[in-house]
Amino acid sequence: MACPVPDPILRGRPSQPPLPEPASIAGSTRVFGEFHHDNTPLADDDDDILRFCEHAHQVLKTQSARCFVHGFLVRGTALELWVFDRSGAYSSERLDLAQRPDLLVRILAGYALMSDEEAGFNTFVKHHPPESDSYVTFRQRDKLHSWAGNDYIVGLGTTCYAASVSTVGEPDTVVKFSWREDKEPTEVRLLERAHERNAWGVVQLVGYQDLVSIADLRQGLQFPQTFVTRTFSCVATTPLGRPIRQYTSITELLEVLRDLVKALPSLYVDARILHRDVAIKNLIITPQYSADGPKGVLIDFNYALDLDNARPIEPMVGSDGFMAIGILRGQRHTYRHDLESLFYVFLWIAIANDRVRDEANDILKGMPKASRLWKWCTMDFGAVGRDKAADMSPEGFEGILGEFSSDFAPLQGLAKELHALIFPVRDGEIFTVTETDQTYAEDLAHLRKLLDVHNMPASVNIKLMHIHFHLREGEILAVHELDAPPYGKIPFLEPMAPDTAGQVYYGCNYVVDGSGHLQAFEYTTIEGGPDLAAHAAFVAELCAVVVQRGLQHKFGLAINSGAASRGSWMELDFPEKRATFLLPSHVPLPQSDRVVLRTTITKFPSLKNEKDGNKDLPTHIHAEHTWGKRRKTDADDEEPVDGVTTKNGLLPLVLLKLLRNSLKTGSY
């Protein structure tokens, strides 16, 4: 990416305001300068200064991976040397060319002799001579990621390239250069956690390296006030997918949205992460589908939140046009808000049907001024929140549906059902907040911190617990595995009498009982979980905190092993058979009248209750995310779109019910 043009770009004073910097010039500029004959001293708001700064802005915008650019300004006999970087600009003192007439020639020669690094170019990218292919090498990996051609995606201070692990392979990786304000590589850390905890539908980290910071570039210089320091980094991820706006059919788009609905709860439940910037630009379609792989993938975790290390007050983040109403009103970001943002992605695509642009403000340029979406993209967040709330009201949403493009008009019925799920009407108004039991949320966060304090294995988790069935005397709850081709082994849970013939059972779910002791209430024959006897200090502190907070029979300890440790799953109850199947996220849920939508009551047996003769055992209500009765589809109900019946067809129904299940997941 180092520019081969060795000469500075020099300009005289224009006779009229200049046109915007041509990309061909700004993209090949190494150093730029301007000459003006006027001897009048420059002021901060002088048109010449503003025009000069605009040239620098165009260079940094066009060369988005550039670290900084040199510039010089001559006005009469006065010379100023400037440097523009990603945190602003600074200059030398004013130099008098009348006193030193050779100075300008010496400075121009210095600019011409600068190395690429001294000129501000990104030198992390190397080149294969004599070919034009480029590559990068990360410290922690020995693979090269090579590419040729133009930028894949360019944003403000961000450039992405399509890459591969060899010079002949098809591109399968994204190499992203970007500037971040925080000192810690948050995106990298959260992507690593998502992978370690088997989050589904999330882009995978290949390699990363921090390259330079503004503080490094300005080292040794004195400034009258502090400046924002940013870090320039390179992050490589896979897969290289198509932007969601480039869907090939309505069928594909719905499948992608379906999988994104599954990805968000996996990210939240498995990895304890909120994405917080769900928008068109951050969703991709995977290039190759597999039976258990996602078709839609979440990318760009720059604004993601680690829930285990969240601050009491977090700054508002998100993308124009896609932010949830609650966020615009100053609410704390929750899992529900990410689902609401995904719904707005669907609406923007359905209305604009723009296959070229990602940013809402750019999409609006091709839309009529009468569109309601214009009011969703202003800097007045309070007004945007009010306008969105009005558009999401039952009456206002009819106007949104009226803007659907012709390709998406058949999906208005699906949109209505999704809208009713996300914005239920309560007391005459749409409900836009998240139902959260703050007491339990604080307790859960406190207990989970004990895992880090005691350095517990990743397979040990703390969560709200429930028992599916009330045990009869002599029974235990046991997890077994069932072969279910082509999906592999499926865990299932059933009450049974312990095998007295030597079968070994391992505790997999524990609860602190009324006497303050850790008691197993679910067992498995699958070996693989950690031995809690080796973590006596953790067990003792956990039991003490649970008793102190009065959380007996409410929170428990879960140890994942075997098939149950492979990621998120759906707990599917068959009440008549007293059985529960733990279906992994990639296994399709059956449609059957035997599978019912219901709420199970957690009942924890304890010695104290048995001694007291208490028949009403301690309970905890837990909403099961199971299917209702199958809806029958009338073949003549609606015309199919790309082979999918849009009102009651299978694919929209799956998307609809997955969204319902997602909205009911856990405590937010």
Side-chain angles (χ1 to χ4, degrees):
M1 293 190 306
C3 177
V5 180
D7 299 323
I9 303 297
L10 308 179
R11 296 186 179 83
R13 181 187 179 98
S15 59
Q16 58 185 5
L19 295 173
E21 186 84 59
S24 59
I25 296 177
S28 61
T29 296
R30 191 174 182 88
V31 179
F32 76 97
E34 291 188 2
F35 288 89
H36 304 276
H37 296 295
D38 191 352
N39 273 312
T40 306
L42 290 170
D44 290 342
D45 59 350
D46 188 287
D47 287 345
D48 290 340
I49 284 289
L50 297 178
R51 198 159 34 235
F52 181 70
C53 293
E54 177 59 25
H55 291 318
H57 172 73
Q58 289 297 327
V59 172
L60 291 175
K61 180 179 179 180
T62 306
Q63 300 178 31
S64 54
R66 184 131 179 204
C67 297
F68 58 89
V69 60
H70 290 277
F72 63 92
L73 180 62
V74 177
R75 190 161 186 169
T77 61
L79 168 65
E80 292 182 1
L81 306 180
W82 287 77
V83 175
F84 296 85
D85 61 24
R86 298 292 174 174
S87 288
Y90 52 96
S91 68
S92 69
E93 61 181 359
R94 192 163 297 165
L95 306 173
D96 190 353
L97 294 178
Q99 298 282 336
R100 303 173 62 184
D102 65 329
L103 184 59
L104 180 59
V105 175
R106 293 173 58 188
I107 288 173
L108 292 180
Y111 284 146
L113 294 174
M114 279 182 174
S115 67
D116 289 341
E117 184 176 4
E118 291 169 333
F121 288 97
N122 176 10
T123 58
F124 186 61
V125 179
K126 310 299 181 184
H127 301 276
H128 286 297
E131 303 295 332
S132 61
D133 288 348
S134 305
Y135 68 91
V136 296
T137 305
F138 296 103
R139 283 192 298 261
Q140 64 269 43
R141 292 179 180 269
D142 55 4
K143 294 182 179 179
L144 302 181
H145 302 275
S146 308
W147 69 89
N150 297 324
D151 302 349
Y152 173 55
I153 299 175
V154 176
L156 293 177
T158 300
T159 307
C160 297
Y161 297 89
S164 63
V165 296
S166 69
T167 57
V168 296
E170 288 295 322
D172 59 2
T173 304
V174 176
V175 176
K176 180 175 75 171
F177 292 94
S178 63
W179 292 85
R180 67 172 191 274
E181 290 190 17
D182 59 316
K183 295 180 181 179
E184 183 186 3
T186 302
E187 179 180 32
V188 169
R189 178 170 55 82
L190 293 184
L191 285 177
E192 288 177 333
R193 170 188 280 197
H195 177 68
E196 291 169 357
R197 299 188 177 183
N198 298 315
W200 190 83
V202 175
V203 68
Q204 300 292 308
L205 180 68
V206 175
Y208 79 95
Q209 192 163 321
D210 285 344
L211 307 180
V212 70
S213 70
I214 297 297
D216 296 332
L217 296 175
R218 296 186 176 188
Q219 187 175 11
L221 300 177
Q222 299 295 324
F223 292 87
Q225 56 188 10
T226 58
F227 54 84
V228 176
T229 184
R230 293 182 170 88
T231 300
F232 189 45
S233 65
C234 181
V235 178
T237 57
T238 190
L240 168 65
R242 287 176 285 130
I244 191 174
R245 55 176 164 78
Q246 293 181 1
Y247 59 90
T248 58
S249 66
I250 299 294
T251 301
E252 182 181 59
L253 176 62
L254 291 177
E255 290 173 337
V256 169
L257 290 173
R258 174 201 64 197
D259 286 354
L260 290 169
V261 169
K262 294 167 64 178
L264 285 171
S266 177
L267 182 67
Y268 169 72
V269 174
D270 295 331
R272 296 282 298 156
I273 296 172
L274 290 176
H275 188 280
R276 298 201 303 172
D277 194 18
V278 176
I280 289 176
K281 64 182 179 181
N282 294 331
L283 308 173
I284 63 170
I285 304 171
T286 53
Q288 296 179 341
Y289 306 150
S290 60
D292 58 350
K295 295 185 178 181
V297 171
L298 297 164
I299 66 172
D300 196 341
F301 280 65
N302 282 329
Y303 294 122
L305 179 65
D306 178 357
L307 290 172
D308 290 336
N309 293 285
R311 295 168 292 187
I313 299 178
E314 293 285 347
M316 179 189 298
V317 298
S319 295
D320 282 350
F322 302 96
M323 294 173 69
I325 295 171
I327 299 303
L328 294 165
R329 291 175 172 175
Q331 296 174 10
R332 187 175 180 84
H333 207 115
T334 69
Y335 164 63
R336 182 204 168 280
H337 294 135
D338 280 351
L339 283 174
E340 184 179 334
S341 293
L342 185 61
F343 182 57
Y344 294 141
V345 168
F346 171 60
L347 295 182
W348 275 93
I349 293 175
I351 293 172
N353 204 6
D354 191 318
R355 304 296 185 93
V356 177
R357 290 162 287 203
D358 295 312
E359 299 283 354
N361 285 293
D362 293 333
I363 295 173
L364 286 173
K365 295 175 182 177
M367 297 183 62
K369 293 293 184 180
S371 173
R372 294 170 181 253
L373 300 185
W374 279 92
K375 294 183 178 180
W376 292 12
C377 296
T378 73
M379 294 304 295
D380 186 344
F381 295 135
V384 174
R386 291 189 294 273
D387 289 330
K388 270 192 173 179
D391 290 336
M392 292 301 107
S393 68
E395 300 79 13
F397 194 67
E398 291 297 325
I400 293 292
L401 293 174
E403 293 191 34
F404 271 33
S405 61
S406 58
D407 289 346
F408 284 86
L411 294 183
Q412 289 177 341
L414 172 62
K416 285 183 179 180
E417 292 182 279
L418 294 175
H419 172 262
L421 283 173
I422 298 175
F423 299 106
V425 176
R426 298 186 181 180
D427 299 325
E429 296 184 359
I430 60 171
F431 188 73
T432 61
V433 300
T434 304
E435 293 181 300
T436 306
D437 188 326
Q438 291 298 332
T439 301
Y440 276 2
E442 293 174 4
D443 290 332
L444 186 59
H446 184 82
L447 291 174
R448 278 180 168 155
K449 285 183 179 179
L450 296 180
L451 297 174
D452 295 329
V453 170
H454 291 273
N455 196 27
M456 295 297 292
S459 57
V460 179
N461 297 286
I462 293 174
K463 61 182 180 179
L464 283 165
M465 301 300 293
H466 65 283
I467 293 178
H468 299 268
F469 312 105
H470 181 39
L471 296 178
R472 298 165 184 162
E473 185 176 357
E475 286 184 333
I476 64 170
L477 280 168
V479 179
H480 301 279
E481 287 186 326
L482 177 70
D483 286 322
Y487 303 109
K489 293 183 179 296
I490 301 295
F492 69 97
L493 181 71
E494 64 176 348
M496 62 174 295
D499 189 347
T500 57
Q503 176 67 60
V504 178
Y505 292 91
Y506 304 91
C508 57
N509 279 316
Y510 296 79
V511 68
V512 178
D513 61 23
S515 59
H517 296 105
L518 198 64
Q519 170 190 336
F521 66 89
E522 286 183 13
Y523 296 82
T524 177
T525 58
I526 307 165
E527 186 177 5
D531 182 4
L532 290 180
H535 302 280
F538 164 74
V539 172
E541 186 172 358
L542 172 69
C543 293
V545 171
V546 167
V547 171
Q548 180 183 17
R549 291 182 171 235
L551 301 176
Q552 297 94 317
H553 305 297
K554 294 184 177 69
F555 286 93
L557 202 62
I559 297 179
N560 296 331
S561 60
S565 64
R566 297 172 186 168
S568 61
W569 60 80
M570 185 76 69
E571 295 178 341
L572 190 60
D573 283 349
F574 284 82
E576 295 177 6
K577 299 294 184 181
R578 300 180 74 213
T580 295
F581 286 88
L582 310 180
L583 299 182
S585 57
H586 66 274
V587 177
L589 295 172
Q591 294 191 20
S592 169
D593 292 343
R594 296 291 298 276
V595 186
V596 298
L597 179 64
R598 66 188 183 88
T599 298
T600 59
I601 303 296
T602 303
K603 295 196 173 184
F604 298 96
S606 70
L607 294 175
K608 182 178 184 300
N609 280 282
E610 291 178 3
K611 290 180 180 179
D612 294 344
N614 187 0
K615 301 297 184 181
D616 297 322
L617 300 180
T619 64
H620 171 69
I621 298 177
H622 175 83
E624 290 297 315
H625 313 312
T626 54
W627 290 78
K629 292 185 178 181
R630 182 169 62 180
R631 297 171 56 183
K632 295 182 179 180
T633 303
D634 187 344
D636 299 326
D637 196 28
E638 278 199 8
E639 290 295 321
V641 176
D642 290 340
V644 179
T645 304
T646 57
K647 184 175 181 181
N648 291 326
L650 177 61
L651 188 54
L653 184 60
V654 171
L655 175 63
L656 175 64
K657 291 195 173 182
L658 279 171
L659 183 53
R660 177 185 292 120
N661 293 336
S662 298
L663 286 167
K664 290 180 178 294
T665 298
S667 61
Y668 304 134

